[in-house]
Amino acid sequence: MEAKKKYTEEKPLDKNLCIRKKFQIREKSFLSEYGTLSANAKRRNKEKNTYNIRTPFQIDRDRIVYSNSFRRLKYKTQVFLSPLGDHYRTRLTHTLEVAQISRTIARAMRLNEDLAEAIALAHDLGHTPFGHGGETALIEIHSPHFSHAYQSLRVVDSLENSGKGLNLTWEVRDGILKHSKGFGNIIPATPGETAITLEGRIVRVADIIAYLNHDLDDALRGKVISSTDVPDICIKKLGKTHSQRASIMIEQLVYNSGPKNGKFILDMGKDTFHAMIILRKFLYDKVYRSPGVHNEFVKAKKVIIGLYNHFLNDPDALQRELEKMEMAPWDSSKNPIKRSVCDLIASMTDRYAMNLYSKIFLPNPLI
């Protein structure tokens, strides 16, 4: 506190500075030494425009929110395929919950909230229709190396803005690419597997905090499981309600994390971390792989595979659909056709894919 007072008294902010520069000066005083300063941010491509109000990470956030890919998240599956109930999560509401959790954690740790929020808002832009069922289909038919994290990076780099991309900062792009963990380590230790910024690593953990809680909530609402099915240790260590569980996970991360041997180590505490691992395995076994959920995704995979093969064999139809989606046209000198077909399929919403499949493959009455 004393250092902050001294800084303010000795170096009053120049009234002639723009709002962005004033804010970036303040960042140096209120961010932790482990926080990422927006003044140091670098873009993928240099830009001529200078921004007087917003910092680079705030600009990234706004570009993401105003993108077509972000709007399409509202009709992409989270867990339940095209849910008819108004209260079930979609990929968009999941994204908003991850952003809220990321900002809460970043604020508590005195990190850059704008950076954390931008990464969180973009982390699933490349997610396929039909959730992980769609991702599995593209892994099988397109490439074993397909991942929604890499696809999200393609969206912001090459697909949005009619192929021009959003030209985000390197820090946000890195966080997007490193957010996914699947059934792997929640807090990775492998070099290169984790984001270069602490804010990016925060988003990775916020992602699992969000989906463990809201997927459990939706599974209970949809009667896929009952409250008595939830492992006792998860109730005991994490709480009975969505609010309790989320609060405990966030608080344990904030209070147990800190500097160690010159590095900032994320830690949730042994009991909380163990309960989270058990809850995740429970959701995989009893919800994500449950017959009701799995059988619908088997059907969804057939839609993905059918559309993929159709556009692979009809470049003109591919070009028409890319134009409708306001994406870059297929250019054989830049991408093989299967890459553009994958980009198209991954960008579709659940309802768009199902309607298109019906139009192409199902008979329609002539009279």
Side-chain angles (χ1 to χ4, degrees), residues 39-108:
N40 297 332
K42 298 289 188 295
R43 294 209 171 275
R44 186 171 182 242
N45 300 308
K46 289 185 179 180
E47 295 181 354
K48 294 181 180 179
N49 293 336
T50 56
Y51 298 90
N52 293 325
I53 294 178
R54 297 171 296 167
T55 69
F57 299 143
Q58 291 169 346
I59 292 168
D60 282 4
R61 176 200 60 205
D62 295 347
R63 290 178 179 180
I64 292 160
V65 169
Y66 284 97
S67 68
N68 287 329
S69 298
F70 185 79
R71 288 190 288 274
R72 285 197 290 264
L73 293 176
K74 65 182 175 181
Y75 292 119
K76 288 193 176 188
T77 289
Q78 174 57 29
V79 172
F80 296 101
L81 186 66
S82 292
L84 297 178
D86 293 336
H87 296 164
Y88 291 94
R89 271 75 170 192
T90 64
R91 190 63 57 177
L92 178 59
T93 59
H94 161 73
T95 294
L96 295 175
E97 291 187 31
V98 175
Q100 180 272 320
I101 292 170
S102 297
R103 285 199 72 115
T104 298
I105 296 170
R107 183 183 299 114

Side-chain angles (χ1 to χ4, degrees), residues 178-186 193 203-205 207-208 211 280:
K178 307 287 180 58
H179 84 270
S180 185
K181 83 276 318 148
F183 203 67
N185 293 331
I186 296 173
E193 189 181 351
V203 173
R204 180 181 173 109
V205 182
D207 185 25
I208 193 170
Y211 83 68
R280 182 172 65 168

